[in-house]
Amino acid sequence: MSRTRVLASARVRATVVAALLAPLAACSSTSSPGASDTEVTPKADDRPVTVTVTPTGDQVRAGDSVRITASGGRLTSVNVTDGEGREVAGEVAADGRSWVSRRKAVPGTSYTVTAATRTEAGTVRNTRSSFTTAPADKVNKVDWRPGADATVGVAQPISLVFDRPVKNRAEVEKQLRITTSNDTEGSWGWLTDWSGRDRVDWRPKTYWKPGTEVTLNAELNGTDSGADGGWFVRDYTTTFTIGTRQIVKVDLDSHQLTLVRDGETVRRIPVSGGTPGGDKRSWRGTAVLMAKEGTINMNSETVGLGNAYDKMVEHSMRLTWSGMYAHAAPWNARYFGRANHSSGCIGMSDADAAWFYGQVRPGDPFEITGKDTKGVVAPGNGFGAWNLSWTEWRQNSALS
């Protein structure tokens, strides 16, 4: 082959190779020096949310709120139930980081907690846990007045008497909620009941307005009453209505009882009060009709007066725990309207007592005046709180 033909053939091959390589060069020309072939977008943290429940474990002490916190994410909902399936109310904080129950964990109960969470990346999970509380070593119980659905007089207090001592008075008082249909102003006051037990009463600033509807919610379950007092293991509630405004005025000096209804005198009744000059004198001040007890046996020995009397008494209306009543006393007829000659009670004729018994109701105030008496009815001797000024009464609150 001639030299000319060899050179021509080499040029053709070079042209073909260049043509074949040209597209490859064009495809790689958009890459910048040092750039990665694949771009990776960083992902948000998707680790599980850490949920902490307090209290935790078995046989833990009751009396604290259930608290749930979340870190590394948010709580979206929380469900806490007790061993009977009842839900424990609470609320997730606005930032989603915590939840606190409205009520305290109660003794001797198992709790199940389900917390729904969302991670920063949006992954939703449920976390479940449980705990149990230790049973109460001592239980405190409550006797309260007035009873549910009662209609009572304008001086009726709400009164709770405790079986065992209450040292944590402020903590207990916080659990006592009064609601009224007309926003009546009032206050709790702690005192010693005539029985010697701890007691707390709620009274309005002034006598109730007739027609007021009142509800007590004592959410005591899970509250520790303190040393030697034990735990409360239930709640208490009562609802009652205030009846007609009736005030009984007893003037021991003139020996007259007057029933005043809505500001108008209904009837005056001649009476005989406690014998002056000794232990048989009556109390003065404001006493509140505690109960209409009807026919009862009265024995003076039960109130420390020795063997002065022991008889069945009709139309008996209790005014104090110490034994002062208004009642029928036909054996004292010659003294009605003339002299005080009883063993401390306010006596009247059978006919007057029968009529009067039908007019009054528990909660009606007896405003008693007289020169020769044993003194003023004490707050714990029946419902004597009205013998304290409003300022004095409020000072008896554990939250004042």
Side-chain angles (χ1 to χ4, degrees):
M1 181 180 297
S2 68
R3 178 177 174 83
T4 302
R5 293 183 62 188
V6 171
L7 292 174
S9 176
R11 285 195 295 268
V12 170
R13 286 196 300 268
T15 301
V16 171
V17 170
L20 291 173
L21 292 176
L24 294 177
C27 289
S28 62
S29 64
T30 57
S31 297
S32 302
S36 172
D37 288 341
T38 305
E39 290 288 336
V40 178
T41 303
K43 293 184 178 180
D45 188 358
D46 199 27
R47 291 174 296 179
V49 179
T50 300
V51 175
T52 303
V53 178
T54 306
T56 184
D58 292 327
Q59 303 294 295
V60 298
R61 187 181 185 276
D64 294 322
S65 298
V66 181
R67 298 178 180 274
I68 301 168
T69 59
S71 59
R74 297 169 57 90
L75 295 167
T76 57
S77 68
V78 173
N79 179 260
V80 180
T81 55
D82 64 17
E84 298 182 7
R86 293 172 299 202
E87 186 172 350
V88 178
E91 188 173 355
V92 176
D95 63 3
R97 304 297 182 182
S98 63
W99 180 96
V100 180
S101 65
R102 297 194 183 100
R103 297 294 304 274
K104 301 171 183 178
V106 304
T109 303
S110 61
Y111 290 90
T112 300
V113 178
T114 303
T117 60
R118 183 186 300 275
T119 67
E120 301 295 344
T123 300
V124 174
R125 293 184 178 89
N126 285 332
T127 301
R128 291 181 176 84
S129 63
S130 63
F131 66 92
T132 62
T133 53
D137 54 347
K138 298 175 184 176
V139 173
N140 207 339
K141 298 180 181 179
V142 180
D143 178 30
W144 73 97
R145 296 187 183 209
D149 302 321
T151 298
V152 297
V154 296
Q156 176 70 52
I158 301 164
S159 183
L160 283 69
V161 181
F162 303 95
D163 279 359
R164 303 183 65 88
V166 179
K167 302 298 183 184
N168 297 338
R169 292 184 171 184
E171 196 62 30
V172 169
E173 191 174 327
K174 289 176 184 177
Q175 307 306 122
L176 308 178
R177 295 177 175 82
I178 301 296
T179 55
T180 69
S181 58
N182 54 16
D183 297 324
T184 301
E185 181 181 2
S187 174
W188 290 103
W190 290 86
L191 58 153
T192 300
D193 185 64
W194 187 257
S195 65
R197 295 181 293 172
D198 286 339
R199 170 175 148 193
V200 64
D201 286 6
W202 194 96
R203 53 151 275 205
K205 182 177 182 180
T206 59
Y207 289 158
W208 293 99
K209 180 179 178 181
T212 303
E213 295 178 354
V214 187
T215 298
L216 161 68
N217 282 311
E219 296 182 337
L220 291 170
N221 196 1
T223 301
D224 181 8
S225 53
D228 299 321
W231 293 87
F232 296 99
V233 295
R234 60 162 291 190
D235 295 333
Y236 300 84
T237 186
T238 188
T239 300
F240 59 94
T241 303
I242 307 303
T244 304
R245 181 181 176 87
Q246 292 191 141
I247 299 174
V248 181
K249 297 182 179 293
V250 181
D251 187 337
L252 295 174
D253 293 336
S254 65
H255 321 295
Q256 296 287 322
L257 177 154
T258 305
L259 176 62
V260 179
R261 181 179 297 146
D262 294 329
E264 301 292 331
T265 297
V266 178
R267 186 166 173 173
R268 288 189 174 90
I269 296 173
V271 297
S272 179
T275 304
D279 290 340
K280 292 184 178 181
R281 291 175 294 174
S282 299
W283 294 103
R284 73 176 184 274
T286 300
V288 177
L289 180 55
M290 300 177 68
K292 296 164 68 174
E293 297 181 4
T295 302
I296 62 173
N297 176 258
M298 288 192 180
N299 187 325
S300 60
E301 293 181 350
T302 64
V303 290
L305 293 179
N307 191 23
Y309 58 86
D310 184 2
K311 60 184 67 179
M312 299 303 293
V313 179
E314 305 288 335
H315 307 302
S316 299
M317 295 159 273
R318 180 182 283 275
L319 298 176
T320 70
W321 285 126
S322 62
M324 186 167 76
Y325 285 78
H327 60 74
W331 55 88
N332 243 7
R334 66 183 180 275
Y335 298 109
F336 296 151
R338 300 178 181 178
N340 294 321
H341 202 270
S342 77
S343 295
C345 295
I346 300 165
M348 62 197 82
S349 70
D350 281 332
D352 284 339
W355 177 86
F356 184 62
Y357 190 89
Q359 301 298 310
V360 294
R361 59 166 50 98
D364 285 345
F366 281 56
E367 298 177 349
I368 305 167
T369 58
K371 295 178 182 178
D372 194 357
T373 66
K374 286 188 287 190
V376 176
V377 177
N381 188 9
F383 300 137
W386 295 103
N387 295 308
L388 299 178
S389 70
W390 177 237
T391 299
E392 291 171 329
W393 177 250
R394 291 183 65 190
Q395 290 172 352
N396 290 324
S397 167
L399 302 177
S400 63

